[in-house]
Amino acid sequence: KQLAYRTSNIQDLHELSIVLINRYRSYLDDHNKMEHLLRQAMRDTSNPATGLSLGENPDFNNLRSKIFEQIPDIQEMLVRLSRLTADRINKQTSISNDISQINLMIVVTLSLIVIAVIIAGISLIIFRIGEPLLMLKEAMHDLSEGDLARRMQENKTVRDEFALLSKDFNNFASRNQHLFDEVIETRDALQESEQRTRAILENALVGIAHVKDDRIVSVNRKFEEIFGYDREEVRGMKKELLYPSVNDNKSINEAANRL
């Protein structure tokens, strides 16, 4: 009877501990899957047009939701384990001193190991996934909003895939900013060249007409003086109308083609 009394809830503690250990193994499996997706996202940063961002990946979102949805279950099991441990301690007070110390040691040691493993696992997941993901999400949002100078700060305490992902993100953002600066410089150079060309054509001492598909697109100031047409008036006119005759137009075109 004393043996049965002393071991009344040991089986319950054992079963609950097994459930917690299995749950922690499930956490490890989810964590490995999460690392696989993060490595894949890190590789896709070299060619972002061919892959999905982390926020758009359904597998990543489902896995993250699964991890955080299991946290309340772990907390509930920890509460049950604590209650069973407390009941066990209360029962041991009525047993002999030697036996109670041995049983108390077993229960407390087992409880502390399980609780420490679960807390360490949850803390590791939150530290390695939660905070870096939030930083990456904010950085990607700022970059998509046009903040090309946005960079992720290096975290010396994180030296795994997240550190490599942060480095690749900063390199990607730097290349984007460099390309954007080159586009701006090229655009400004083209605008300046176009303005110089327009100034030269506009102030030329000969009449110049831009013709496309046998119709006049634009003319310069000297052309207006020669033909007596306003440039808005001549736009869209067939170029044949500017020659004295159809034969003149034909002969000039033939000569131009030979040249």
Side-chain angles (χ1 to χ4, degrees), residues 2 6 92-103:
Q2 288 182 352
R6 292 168 188 153
Q92 291 296 77
T93 57
S94 61
I95 307 174
S96 62
N97 187 35
D98 293 339
I99 299 297
S100 80
Q101 288 181 357
I102 294 174
N103 290 335

Side-chain angles (χ1 to χ4, degrees), residues 115 164 183:
I115 293 174
L164 296 176
V183 170

Side-chain angles (χ1 to χ4, degrees), residues 115-130:
I115 293 174
V117 169
I118 297 300
I119 292 177
I122 294 176
S123 301
L124 181 63
I125 291 174
I126 293 176
F127 175 75
R128 295 186 62 184
I129 296 179

